[in-house]
Amino acid sequence: MSRFWSDVVKGLTPYVPGEQPKLAKLVKLNTNENPYGPSPRALEAIRAATDDTLRLYPDPNAERLKRAIAAAHGVEAGNVFVGNGSDEVLAHAFLGLLKQARPILFPDISYSFYPVYCGLYQVACETVALREDFSIRVEDYARPNGGIIFPNPNAPTGCLVPLAAIEKLLQANADSVVVIDEAYVDFGGTSAIPLTAKYPNLLVVQTLSKSRSLAGLRVGFAVGHVDLIEALERVKNSFNSYPLDRLAIAGAVAAIEDSEYFDQTRQAVIATRERLVGELKKLGFEVLPSAANFIFARHPGHDAQESALALRQRGIIVRHFKLPRIEQFLRITVGTDEQCAALVAAMKEIVA
Ligand SMILES: *Cc1c(COP(=O)(O)O)cnc(C)c1O
């Protein structure tokens, strides 16, 4: 704390991202990155864009990227907003759409950046408890609200809300914006993007960080009715005209267009996840049903924090949240088969 800080800064509780260790040797299963590299076509596009034109500003509207995303999802470029990672897109949604007189609603166990944005932008919020089985039930959101947001599949549980339930939620909340954060949808869910044509109150947010293996490039986007997109553009153009640099635009376009590589790598992650779940269940773990590139698991006989520490001593890092209801869970990113085999071998020793 310093006397030079503004009152706003004094009151902030910033988000704490998962560790990015400097040690290269670690088996890193703690921040849901993709274990496979980006599309070779994306890397090539970034290399090709690395030239003299970097002296020029990028396209402030990233039109090429909006068109590529629109084509991939069957919408118009005017229905697409792009930002520096979906975290930035979400931040603009909090200020531009979710800051309302009534409190917004999100699950009590969810992406921990949501309460941080509420703190930053002074957005009133209420949490809605997940059910005993850690699922989101849309019926529990039937109360006056200024908006609703949750990840689907949810983080850090991995549990999926079916599209039919999301449609019910949209119909029951026609006067508020519903933001579906689909950071993990490509690993087992069905995107709600087609519903944006029918529901002007739906904003779907996605990222290239997980299923497109580009966490380091920082590209995220939102799809929705042009009026919702315009709100995000107004915030963006009052904050940073060039959130996406030339390399990010070039790499993201190529990654979106390389649907073959995308399908191949996400299917590999899904197959590894299913094997990992089977192995952990054999060791006595309870594993929540996951539609994501991570699993959420607890062992009835072993303390999660101690297990995380024991894994770390064996060179494997996973995520543990010291929070009510979930402090006995470990969130484990699905890595390669080799990485997951190393995790299972270590776990075998720990629970023995
Ligand atoms: C990873 C993640 C994001 C943000 O990803 P970016 O890297 O900022 O695009 C957003 N929401 C959830 C739920 C996530 O897990």
Side-chain angles (χ1 to χ4, degrees):
M1 191 85 85
S2 152
R3 67 195 169 92
F4 299 115
W5 288 11
S6 68
D7 288 342
V8 175
V9 164
K10 282 178 195 158
L12 295 180
T13 311
Y15 177 74
V16 184
E19 185 191 356
Q20 293 295 341
K22 303 291 176 284
L23 290 168
K25 271 261 144 93
L26 289 174
V27 176
K28 192 177 176 308
L29 304 176
N30 68 327
T31 51
N32 299 342
E33 287 135 329
N34 201 307
Y36 303 106
S39 151
R41 282 170 55 187
L43 297 180
E44 185 43 43
I46 293 167
R47 274 187 216 106
T50 306
D51 63 16
D52 177 66
T53 58
L54 279 176
R55 70 191 176 78
L56 301 171
Y57 282 107
D59 173 7
N61 287 317
E63 273 305 322
R64 265 178 72 214
L65 179 56
K66 286 181 181 175
R67 278 201 301 271
I69 292 167
H73 291 283
V75 297
E76 300 296 321
N79 298 114
V80 180
F81 177 80
V82 294
N84 188 263
S86 62
D87 284 340
E88 185 180 83
V89 177
L90 290 166
H92 292 346
F94 273 78
L95 184 61
L97 298 167
L98 298 175
K99 186 173 164 68
Q100 304 289 349
R102 284 184 174 148
I104 65 161
L105 307 177
F106 51 79
D108 62 339
I109 298 166
S110 190
Y111 189 34
S112 38
F113 227 133
Y114 302 156
V116 174
Y117 292 133
C118 289
L120 177 60
Y121 293 126
Q122 320 263 278
V123 174
C125 63
E126 281 173 17
T127 58
V128 178
L130 295 185
R131 292 287 175 95
E132 245 348 88
D133 63 357
F134 297 95
S135 66
I136 293 172
R137 290 300 156 84
V138 296
E139 299 78 41
D140 300 340
Y141 290 74
R143 63 171 101 151
N145 63 73
I148 296 170
I149 181 167
F150 56 81
N152 197 38
N154 194 15
T157 63
C159 301
L160 187 73
V161 177
L163 225 45
I166 292 195
E167 190 156 10
K168 265 194 210 146
L169 187 71
L170 290 163
Q171 289 164 350
N173 292 277
D175 293 324
S176 28
V177 172
V178 175
V179 180
I180 305 295
D181 177 356
E182 294 189 334
Y184 302 104
V185 76
D186 298 323
F187 298 107
T190 309
S191 178
I193 287 177
L195 294 178
T196 59
K198 202 165 150 200
Y199 297 96
N201 58 329
L202 170 62
L203 187 77
V204 178
V205 178
Q206 289 196 3
T207 175
L208 275 67
S209 295
K210 278 83 181 217
S211 57
R212 304 274 176 175
S213 310
L214 284 169
L217 203 64
R218 312 304 305 130
V219 182
F221 62 91
V223 178
H225 189 279
V226 287
D227 291 348
L228 301 188
I229 299 304
E230 191 185 341
L232 302 178
E233 297 288 358
R234 287 173 67 97
V235 176
K236 174 246 176 196
N237 289 320
S238 307
F239 178 78
N240 179 1
S241 306
Y242 308 104
L244 291 192
D245 59 67
R246 286 175 170 272
L247 306 186
I249 293 170
V253 167
I256 293 285
E257 288 175 350
D258 195 351
S259 56
E260 202 176 313
Y261 184 83
F262 167 67
D263 281 328
Q264 197 181 309
T265 47
R266 69 185 176 135
Q267 290 310 333
V269 169
I270 292 168
T272 303
R273 178 186 70 212
E274 294 314 302
R275 283 192 282 275
L276 174 63
V277 169
E279 293 291 323
L280 290 178
K281 282 185 174 169
K282 271 196 254 163
L283 295 180
F285 277 90
E286 177 198 349
V287 187
L288 298 190
S290 171
N293 69 336
F294 58 84
I295 57 157
F296 209 46
R298 66 180 160 191
H299 197 287
H302 292 270
D303 180 70
Q305 194 172 12
E306 283 172 23
S307 297
L309 208 68
L311 282 172
R312 208 195 155 87
Q313 285 158 352
R314 290 165 174 81
I316 299 168
I317 48 176
V318 299
R319 193 105 194 246
H320 172 254
F321 299 93
K322 222 176 171 164
L323 295 172
R325 290 183 77 187
I326 57 168
E327 73 261 318
Q328 283 311 323
F329 280 89
L330 294 176
R331 194 197 67 189
I332 304 167
T333 303
V334 177
T336 60
D337 278 327
E338 295 71 46
Q339 290 176 315
C340 290
L343 174 102
V344 170
M347 271 300 183
K348 225 171 242 173
E349 288 177 20
I350 293 164
V351 304

